Amino acid sequence: MKLIVAGLAGLTLATAMGAAAWADSTTSPPSVSAPATVDSKIGDLLADPATKAVLDKDIPGLETSPYLDMVKGMSVRDIAKYPQAKIDDAKLQVIDTDLKAAKPAS
C-alpha cells in the first residue's frame, strides 16, 4: 500500500512539473515583442502610450465607447468587420501604417 501511495505522489509531482515546463515553453518572453499592427489586440495597443496615441487619433471615441471592455480582446481588423466601427479598408490601411510606425515604449 505504501508503495502505491508513493508511486501516486511521484506521478502527481511529475505531472505538475511537466505542466509547468509546458506552460513556460508556450509563452513568449516579455522582451520579445511583435510590431503593432491592426491584428494586435486593442487592449494591448491601449496599454502602450505610442500605440494608444495612434488609436486616439485614428479611432476617436474608442476609449469612451460603452463597448470598450468587449473589444479589448479583439483586433482592429476584427472590429472593422462591424459597420458601427466605421472602418473601411482604406482606413484600416491607414491605421496599420500608423501602428507600424509607432515606437513602442520600452
Side-chain angles (χ1 to χ4, degrees):
M1 182 68 163
K2 289 181 186 178
L3 187 57
I4 292 173
V5 172
L8 288 176
L11 179 60
T12 302
L13 180 60
T15 303
M17 290 175 60
W22 178 80
D24 285 343
S25 70
T26 60
T27 57
S28 59
S31 61
V32 177
S33 62
T37 69
V38 292
D39 295 310
S40 302
K41 292 187 191 267
I42 291 172
D44 294 340
L45 296 172
L46 290 172
D48 182 273
T51 54
K52 178 185 176 300
V54 170
L55 294 183
D56 289 344
K57 177 178 81 68
D58 291 342
I59 312 174
L62 176 66
E63 282 194 284
T64 58
S65 169
Y67 305 107
L68 180 61
D69 286 337
M70 288 190 286
V71 301
K72 281 184 177 178
M74 299 172 72
S75 70
V76 175
R77 187 182 307 277
D78 291 336
I79 67 166
K81 296 173 186 172
Y82 298 96
Q84 303 90 324
K86 298 179 183 165
I87 301 173
D88 60 14
D89 289 339
K91 181 71 171 177
L92 196 62
Q93 184 60 45
V94 168
I95 297 168
D96 195 47
T97 301
D98 291 348
L99 286 170
K100 288 176 181 175
K103 301 297 180 214
S106 300

